[in-house]
Amino acid sequence: MENVKFDANGLICAIAQDYETGEVLMQAYMNAEALEKTLETGYAHYFSRSRQKLWKKGETSGHTQKVISASFDCDRDCLLMQVEQKGAACHTGNRSCFFDRVISGDREGLTFLGELARIVADRKEHPVEGSYTAYLFSRGVDKIAKKMGEEAVETVIASKNDDKAELTHELSDLMYHLLVLMREKEVSLSDLCTELVRRHNK
């Protein structure tokens, strides 16, 4: 604790990031007590500058942040936490506080996979009439696995052609059906990443 560089107000910046998708959820501040509580309990605690008091994330809303891992930056004045977010991180009801986009590009990153996985999960739990995803879940694993096989074959065929757009299209179909199959069999993105890390570390 003596090596943490608190500012003149006794605070450090703290950033919460979805451990599974990498999505940045929120930014707040910690004083020494909040940092200690976070490390002791394994749940994110912050210091409210407006209320001048310690608070546990989700204490009243139930939208807690279980800390999976945490790292200081090189100056040890900012803490980055990978968390398991229960419910929404933002008081507005949005999953992330960073929803007010001011620059929009024509490319997306890996964090969208997490969003798509949540949409797929919601279609299973709350089927929507006319939804292809809900239809696949209603037919069960045999139908889902059959579609996975078809998309895998189409991906292999597309890979033999010199057409990036076609291959991207087929890979997208394959990835979507993979997410559906994963949800049907209760395999998460985190499960995959954990297995890949285990293999890498070998």
Side-chain angles (χ1 to χ4, degrees):
M1 188 67 69
E2 63 271 14
N3 293 324
V4 180
K5 294 183 180 178
F6 296 99
D7 66 15
N9 296 312
L11 303 174
I12 60 169
C13 177
I15 300 169
Q17 178 184 36
D18 189 296
Y19 85 102
E20 192 167 34
T21 68
E23 182 181 13
V24 177
L25 300 173
M26 62 176 283
Q27 180 267 322
Y29 293 90
M30 291 181 178
N31 61 4
E33 184 182 7
L35 177 57
E36 288 175 347
K37 284 286 188 181
T38 298
L39 298 178
E40 287 174 7
T41 67
Y43 285 86
H45 288 68
Y46 300 103
F47 181 80
S48 171
R49 294 177 298 169
S50 60
R51 292 177 291 153
Q52 288 292 298
K53 62 179 293 188
L54 180 79
W55 61 286
K56 177 185 177 182
K57 176 65 178 174
E59 194 166 29
T60 55
S61 66
H63 296 170
T64 56
Q65 292 176 344
K66 182 179 180 180
V67 180
I68 305 301
S69 65
S71 305
F72 281 110
D73 72 339
C74 55
D75 293 323
R76 295 182 70 84
D77 60 2
C78 181
L79 184 70
L80 175 64
M81 299 178 292
Q82 284 75 42
V83 304
E84 181 180 300
Q85 177 68 51
K86 184 177 181 181
C90 185
H91 73 283
T92 63
N94 287 281
R95 180 166 179 80
S96 169
C97 292
F98 297 95
F99 60 87
D100 188 10
R101 184 171 293 190
V102 293
I103 297 177
S104 294
D106 59 355
R107 300 175 69 84
E108 294 291 343
L110 280 173
T111 57
F112 179 69
L113 276 182
E115 182 179 342
L116 182 57
R118 289 193 294 274
I119 294 171
V120 167
D122 186 68
R123 290 292 185 269
K124 182 174 175 62
E125 298 301 319
H126 308 99
V128 175
E129 186 176 352
S131 164
Y132 175 63
T133 306
Y135 161 74
L136 287 175
F137 283 129
S138 71
R139 297 294 299 275
V141 68
D142 288 345
K143 178 64 175 180
I144 298 169
K146 181 175 183 291
K147 286 298 298 181
M148 270 291 296
E150 292 172 358
E151 298 301 342
V153 170
E154 291 176 8
T155 298
V156 171
I157 293 171
S159 71
K160 304 295 287 183
N161 302 324
D162 190 19
D163 189 332
K164 180 181 177 180
E166 179 191 4
L167 179 57
T168 300
H169 178 83
E170 296 301 342
L171 284 167
S172 298
D173 283 345
L174 182 62
M175 180 62 71
Y176 159 76
H177 285 91
L178 175 61
L179 289 175
V180 175
L181 179 62
M182 287 168 59
R183 182 60 187 177
E184 177 68 14
K185 302 304 293 184
E186 298 184 354
V187 177
S188 69
L189 288 171
S190 177
D191 292 332
L192 289 189
C193 291
T194 299
E195 174 62 15
L196 290 170
V197 168
R198 185 190 67 79
R199 296 182 185 189
H200 170 72
N201 290 336
K202 287 179 65 177

